[in-house]
């Protein structure tokens, strides 16, 4: 393998988008669940271009304690909807259960605030579309919180693939599995509520290999097929999902699970080689990339940036430079539409096309 083909990975922890703008974006964090408190808020506080200034929660003690920890203003959901403290924030991060994204995105749009919304964008395609249209009609930025699109190593991998590092992509394989019942919440959590979540493993973690594959290929699905399985503790949501995605020039086979051994991997086969990304989707994981071509095999280790910090800095950078984010609302909508098509395919036992 020539050294030139791997030059793209030099400095793979660096930012290829950062122009060093002046300014700070003050963020209102809507929803103070475990992920927001343990992952997102620390990342916002650590970032270069944004700071948490308002926190929104319906739980009084959590709201007060979090506001004190970050020297922020704490407000209730009703106060947020009514416009309380709008002078204290420039943009909104929505981190509530999936079906509650829409009203909070609409509120931000009504107040003229840009939004970064957790994935999936909503629990149904219709509601995701409403969120997108609300922001477009208000003329505010909507970014879907796909942190993998801002991970420096994943961005370098996309560049490598685009430059023909493995020839023409043919097939992709990906999986993301974790024990959702292994934490303190057990079965009493919104991820296992079909109404709030919109689905199970596919909606929560299956969107990671799906969206990352779309990002690497710069392509959208044209058809899907799939199957789901579940057992007692998981109620009506999918415990396991296996699904295929046909792209215009490649095919992806992906899976996701809410039980079993934790795993996160993504690989791509091309006409002239293949790449495999290990620990692909974990928060702040040290990722390993294996590149194989006829010239040999190279393993790149030790690449691990806090991609959540990257995500919020990227969002703030877009606002400060008046540039659109790549993982915008339409990007998030495509994944929700694709997930809904996978569920239809699993129910019908046949391939489903995507317009």
């Amino acid at each position: 393998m020539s050294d030139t083909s791997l030059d793209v990975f030099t400095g793979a922890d660096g930012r290829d988008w950062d122009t060093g703008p002046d300014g700070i974006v003050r963020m209102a964090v809507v929803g103070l669940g475990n992920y927001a408190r343990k992952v997102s808020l620390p990342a916002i506080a650590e970032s270069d271009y944004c700071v948490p200034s308002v926190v929104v929660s319906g739980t009084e003690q959590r709201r007060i304690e979090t506001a004190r920890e970050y020297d922020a203003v704490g407000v209730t959901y009703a106060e947020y909807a009514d416009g309380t403290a709008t002078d204290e924030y420039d943009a909104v991060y929505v981190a509530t259960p999936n079906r509650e994204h829409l009203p909070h995105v609409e509120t931000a749009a009504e107040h003229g605030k840009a939004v970064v919304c957790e994935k999936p964008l909503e629990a149904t395609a219709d509601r995701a579309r409403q969120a997108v249209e609300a922001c477009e009609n208000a003329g505010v930025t909507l970014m879907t919180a796909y942190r993998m699109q801002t991970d420096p190593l994943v961005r370098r991998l996309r560049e490598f693939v685009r430059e023909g590092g493995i020839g023409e992509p043919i097939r992709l394989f990906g999986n993301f599995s974790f024990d959702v019942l292994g934490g303190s919440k057990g079965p009493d959590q919104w991820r296992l509520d079909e109404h709030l979540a919109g689905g199970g493993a596919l909606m929560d973690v299956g969107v990671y290999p799906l969206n990352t594959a779309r990002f690497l290929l710069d392509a959208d699905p044209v058809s899907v097929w799939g199957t789901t399985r579940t057992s007692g503790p998981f109620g009506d949501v999918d415990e396991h999902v296996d699904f295929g995605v046909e792209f215009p020039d490649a095919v992806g086979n992906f899976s996701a699970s809410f039980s079993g051994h934790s795993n996160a991997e993504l690989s791509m086969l091309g006409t002239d080689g293949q790449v495999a990304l290990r620990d692909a989707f974990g928060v702040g994981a040290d990722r390993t990339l294996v590149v194989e071509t006829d010239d040999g095999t190279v393993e790149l280790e030790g690449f691990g940036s806090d991609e959540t910090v990257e995500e919020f800095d990227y969002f703030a950078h877009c606002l400060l430079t008046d540039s659109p984010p790549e993982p915008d609302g339409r990007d998030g909508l495509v994944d929700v539409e694709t997930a809904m098509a996978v569920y239809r395919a699993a129910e019908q036992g046949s391939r489903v096309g995507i317009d």
Side-chain angles (χ1 to χ4, degrees), residues 72-94:
V73 176
V75 301
T76 66
Y77 287 116
E79 290 171 333
Y80 165 70
D82 288 342
T84 299
T86 52
D87 291 340
E88 300 294 329
Y89 63 92
D90 307 304
V92 173
Y93 167 56
V94 176

Side-chain angles (χ1 to χ4, degrees), residues 45-103:
E46 185 182 337
S47 67
D48 295 328
Y49 299 125
C50 51
V51 62
S53 61
V54 173
V55 293
V56 184
S57 174
T59 305
E60 182 178 10
Q61 182 177 356
R62 183 177 295 175
R63 182 175 65 250
I64 292 172
E65 291 176 352
T66 306
R68 183 183 300 119
E69 180 179 358
Y70 291 97
D71 192 24
V73 176
V75 301
T76 66
Y77 287 116
E79 290 171 333
Y80 165 70
D82 288 342
T84 299
T86 52
D87 291 340
E88 300 294 329
Y89 63 92
D90 307 304
V92 173
Y93 167 56
V94 176
T96 57
N98 301 341
R99 187 172 283 271
E100 297 175 359
H101 289 176
L102 175 60

Side-chain angles (χ1 to χ4, degrees), residues 22-334:
D22 294 326
I24 292 291
V25 175
R26 300 168 303 161
M27 300 291 299
V29 177
V30 180
L32 298 179
N34 185 68
Y35 188 86
R37 287 181 290 112
K38 294 189 176 180
V39 178
S40 301
L41 268 164
I44 294 171
E46 185 182 337
S47 67
D48 295 328
Y49 299 125
C50 51
V51 62
S53 61
V54 173
V55 293
V56 184
S57 174
T59 305
E60 182 178 10
Q61 182 177 356
R62 183 177 295 175
R63 182 175 65 250
I64 292 172
E65 291 176 352
T66 306
R68 183 183 300 119
E69 180 179 358
Y70 291 97
D71 192 24
V73 176
V75 301
T76 66
Y77 287 116
E79 290 171 333
Y80 165 70
D82 288 342
T84 299
T86 52
D87 291 340
E88 300 294 329
Y89 63 92
D90 307 304
V92 173
Y93 167 56
V94 176
T96 57
N98 301 341
R99 187 172 283 271
E100 297 175 359
H101 289 176
L102 175 60
H104 301 315
V105 169
E106 289 178 328
T107 293
E110 289 169 4
H111 297 321
K113 307 293 186 179
V115 192
V116 54
C117 180
E118 266 305 331
K119 58 83 215 156
L121 196 54
E122 245 288 352
T124 70
D126 285 343
R127 292 176 67 84
R129 190 174 299 106
Q130 290 178 58
V132 171
E133 292 173 351
C135 291
E136 289 179 347
N137 292 338
V140 300
T141 295
L142 173 59
M143 173 172 148
T144 309
Y146 284 123
R147 53 188 172 81
M148 301 319 304
Q149 291 199 29
T150 63
D151 183 278
L153 183 59
V154 174
R155 294 182 68 84
R156 298 305 193 284
L157 178 57
R158 179 179 67 165
E159 187 176 345
F160 178 71
V161 170
R162 286 182 172 182
E163 291 180 352
I166 58 171
E168 295 296 326
I170 300 172
R171 298 188 66 84
L172 299 97
F173 304 89
N175 175 69
F176 194 4
S177 301
F178 82 107
D179 183 6
V180 75
L181 298 179
S184 59
K185 291 184 178 296
D188 185 22
Q189 54 179 292
W190 68 264
R191 286 180 175 83
L192 304 186
D193 184 320
E194 185 178 24
H195 178 74
L196 284 177
L202 174 59
M203 294 293 280
D204 193 53
V205 291
V207 293
Y208 280 94
L210 170 62
N211 183 264
T212 307
R214 291 180 49 229
F215 179 68
L216 295 175
L217 291 173
D218 192 22
D220 290 339
V222 295
S223 67
V224 298
W225 57 97
T227 183
T228 62
R229 292 174 291 132
T230 195
S231 60
F234 297 91
D236 295 327
V237 304
D238 43 300
E239 177 185 0
H240 308 284
V241 60
D242 292 87
F243 61 105
V245 179
E246 181 183 4
F247 296 97
D249 298 306
V251 175
N253 287 278
F254 308 117
S255 60
S257 293
F258 269 168
S259 65
H261 183 70
S262 295
N263 181 52
E265 59 185 353
L266 183 70
S267 62
M268 180 184 295
L269 174 69
T271 54
D272 300 322
Q274 61 183 355
V275 293
L277 190 62
R278 299 170 183 164
D279 294 320
F281 311 118
V283 174
D286 286 330
R287 312 192 202 287
T288 299
L289 178 66
V290 179
V291 181
E292 300 180 50
T293 71
D294 290 342
D295 296 325
T297 300
V298 174
E299 188 169 306
L300 305 172
E301 297 181 299
F303 292 101
S305 295
D306 188 333
E307 76 284 348
T308 311
V309 173
E310 299 296 302
E311 171 188 76
F312 285 108
D313 265 337
Y314 175 83
F315 172 67
H317 185 276
C318 288
L319 301 185
L320 293 171
T321 58
D322 194 26
S323 55
E326 281 193 83
D328 60 12
R330 292 284 170 180
D331 190 15
L333 174 58
V334 168

